[in-house]
Amino acid sequence: MILLDGLDVSMIVVAIPEIQSEFGMSAGTAQWLAGAYILAFGSFLLLGGRVADLFGRRRVLVLAMAAFAVVSTLGALADDSTLLIVSRFVKGMAAGFAAPAAMSLLTTTFPEGPQRNKAFGIFNVFEASGYSSGLLVGGLLAALDWRSIFILPIPLSLLMLFGALRILPPDPPRTERQRLDLGGAVTLVGGTLTLVFTTVRAAEVGWASWRTIGGYVLSALLLGGFLLIERTVKEPLIRLDLFRNRGLVTANISIGVLYGGAMGFQFLLGLYLQDLMGWKPWQMALVLLPAGLMVVVIGPKLGALMDRFGVTKVLMTGLLAFLPCYVLMLFIGSEPNLWGVLLPASVLWGVGFALSIATLMVAGTNGVPDEEQGLAAGLLNSSLQVGGAFGLAVVTATILPGTELDMLYPGLWLILALAVLTILVQLSHRQK
């Protein structure tokens, strides 16, 4: 599922110009082809993880993948831009239930230690492969027909659905009737939706706009109401004592900050190569190909690396790899330096990703009871998505007016600062 998610998100980014042209969409409307998916995915992850814990991880995964296939079909047949965007939102909802269900199946199937470490390494390979290959595949398919991008996920999701039904064991029977905290669910989803939506829109309407300020106030009120409900309800959606797990809290903060910088890096790289240098999307995908290859090479060995050197050393090595990557980007010039800047930065980015993202997932789920693994997975994925949205919005806001090349440097300094902040968060945790 994580492969399909990365593939779907990256392919649509490449196809937006063709879709915008066919439907006569404005730039603001067209960006919701990607934004609607991210909005729904990030907002439903926590609820999806808890629903999987309560009602069966295999059951939730199968239903979510079936919905993903159906909505992909509707998107491929859509003849209206509004319907297309709605289909993207619903597809993001399906992914928001499927992703934590899949990840919690992994964490509950493989016990803490070597087996889980190895499983997360393989998980990381599929995640990065889907995202990096999606840029290249999307560029090739968009050159033929943008609808091909919506058609490709249909057979892939059906294949995964068939595999889940055949391979995954049935969910264990529940001895007690499970109840969903509806008040907590409504306030959590409402607060998260408002938070992500406000963040995505902030760069467009302005950070000081009443819409942005009002959105954050409303989000704070809804999430505050959620916390109040969870403190008083008999069967809470999220047991607040879970946040006493410092490893889980630190991993959530780290993965949000780290992915915010990573999204900013990709955005700035695309702005530099495609908008300023006039490169095609598939050419940019080739620049990022070494990053994907690093994940493919390192991913299967990640479990052995964590077993031999420990989670902390592997994680810190990965986080440190981002520093020279972002420093190299400060040396971009009016002509792309492929061998001296772009490809080395891509390799370092891939090494950082390969060693840090899955390792943070391991660190965040260690010590969490099996009955709350879906929730922990939802928390980590939600922090990743919300952190990515925040990072992208803040990086966009820091690009100052000026010469075309000079405007990129404030954003590059910001992503470097985010990489340093991630390291400081981890060091602070280790010292406690």
Side-chain angles (χ1 to χ4, degrees), residues 203 207 267-268 271 276 392-414:
W207 288 91
F267 170 71
L268 292 172
L271 195 62
L276 302 185
L392 185 56
V394 174
V395 167
T396 302
T398 60
I399 298 177
L400 304 176
T403 64
E404 289 186 333
L405 185 59
D406 286 346
M407 71 179 181
L408 297 181
Y409 290 107
L412 293 172
W413 281 108
L414 176 60

Side-chain angles (χ1 to χ4, degrees), residues 233-288:
V233 73
K234 183 178 179 180
E235 298 180 15
L237 188 70
I238 297 178
R239 182 175 60 86
L240 297 183
D241 285 348
L242 185 65
F243 294 102
R244 293 181 179 176
N245 184 325
R246 291 190 305 183
L248 176 63
V249 173
T250 303
N252 273 275
I253 296 172
S254 298
I255 207 167
V257 177
L258 179 66
Y259 200 67
M263 288 292 289
F265 167 79
Q266 183 181 303
F267 170 71
L268 292 172
L269 183 64
L271 195 62
Y272 173 64
L273 292 178
Q274 293 181 241
D275 289 13
L276 302 185
M277 301 294 111
W279 286 26
K280 300 295 184 183
W282 64 267
Q283 291 175 300
M284 176 180 162
L286 289 177
V287 170
L288 289 174

